[in-house]
């Protein structure tokens, strides 16, 4: 299962890199098309792979995004980890560099995660910084793929892994990769 997932991710990354490998060499940034038909609302889901406490934890992210300007969007999202470690809800702001549907973006996010620790529930805030790209595989398609890397910091109570009776490992910092599919 893990090997198949690694092969799938490698193939997806290879297709993404192959599609855009010569884009900036062939076409200067200033000459790139700056407008296309932007729909204001998109929704979809992502596979989220989050690294913390020495291992990768997969989850699923569902999101609804509203593009209120050609370079700015806001989305509301929810994340559930397959391992049940935590649930997350939050909001993101994205800045798109060219203002086109197929574009690189910078993401700033604020969210709250919910987890249980020592028979108590906690709901600490989390801040996130990410960089990604929206990819159209077909020119007139009404869907896109999204790939993003991010880092986040949990403010307050950290995630904990019990290592024994007296030893606990804590994580405030997490890093991750999102691979998604959006309809617009």
């Amino acid at each position: 299962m893990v090997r198949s997932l690694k092969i799938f991710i490698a193939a997806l990354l290879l297709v993404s890199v192959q599609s855009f490998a010569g884009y900036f060499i062939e076409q200067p940034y200033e000459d790139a098309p700056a407008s296309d038909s932007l729909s204001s609302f998109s929704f979809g889901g992502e596979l989220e792979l989050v690294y913390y406490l020495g291992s990768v934890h997969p989850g699923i992210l569902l999101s609804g995004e509203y593009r209120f300007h050609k370079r700015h969007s806001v989305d509301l999202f929810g994340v559930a980890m397959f391992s049940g470690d935590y649930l997350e809800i939050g909001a993101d702001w994205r800045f798109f560099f060219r203002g086109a549907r197929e574009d690189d973006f910078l993401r700033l996010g604020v969210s709250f995660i919910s987890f249980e620790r020592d028979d108590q529930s906690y709901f600490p805030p989390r801040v996130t910084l990410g960089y990604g790209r929206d990819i159209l595989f077909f020119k007139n398609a009404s869907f896109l793929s999204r790939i993003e890397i991010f880092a986040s910091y949990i403010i307050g109570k950290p995630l904990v892994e019990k290592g024994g009776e007296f030893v606990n490992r804590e994580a405030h910092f997490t890093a991750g990769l999102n691979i998604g599919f959006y309809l617009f």
Side-chain angles (χ1 to χ4, degrees):
M1 171 76 176
V2 173
R3 186 170 188 268
S4 298
L5 184 61
K6 288 180 182 178
I7 291 171
F8 174 73
I9 290 170
L12 188 61
L13 290 174
L14 181 62
V15 167
S16 300
V17 169
Q18 185 271 337
S19 296
F20 300 100
Y23 182 77
F24 292 108
I25 296 170
E26 297 165 3
Q27 186 175 29
Y29 190 78
E30 293 80 18
D31 295 340
S35 64
D36 60 4
S37 59
L38 295 173
S39 60
S40 58
F41 184 72
S42 63
F43 62 93
E46 300 180 15
L47 171 66
E48 181 166 281
L49 302 172
V50 184
Y51 180 81
Y52 62 92
L53 295 172
S55 62
V56 175
H57 302 266
I60 188 158
L61 178 145
L62 297 176
S63 172
E65 182 176 14
Y66 180 71
R67 192 127 177 199
F68 61 91
H69 184 270
K70 71 178 187 172
R71 292 186 183 259
H72 303 278
S73 74
V74 173
D75 78 343
L76 299 174
F77 68 91
V79 177
M81 302 307 285
F82 293 145
S83 61
D85 290 346
Y86 65 82
L87 298 172
E88 179 180 10
I89 59 170
D92 290 326
W93 167 77
R94 285 186 175 82
F95 172 76
F96 294 89
F97 292 105
R98 290 186 301 126
R101 175 55 63 194
E102 186 172 67
D103 199 357
D104 294 341
F105 61 84
L106 180 66
R107 169 184 141 192
L108 298 173
V110 176
S111 60
F112 292 91
I113 63 172
S114 173
F115 62 89
E116 291 195 12
R117 177 174 155 187
D118 300 327
D119 296 329
Q120 290 185 340
S121 294
Y122 295 98
F123 205 57
R126 172 191 234 172
V127 292
T128 304
L129 175 65
Y131 178 82
R133 178 162 181 88
D134 286 346
I135 303 165
L136 285 172
F137 289 108
F138 305 104
K139 185 176 181 179
N140 295 322
S142 59
F143 63 90
L144 59 85
S145 293
R146 176 173 285 169
I147 187 164
E148 176 184 15
I149 57 173
F150 66 90
S152 65
Y153 185 80
I154 300 168
I155 302 167
K157 291 285 185 184
L159 296 170
V160 172
E161 176 184 72
K162 297 206 180 243
E165 190 172 326
F166 299 108
V167 179
N168 290 336
R169 294 182 349 167
E170 297 182 342
H172 282 281
F173 177 78
T174 63
L177 170 72
N178 287 352
I179 301 170
F181 180 80
Y182 283 80
L183 300 170
F184 57 89

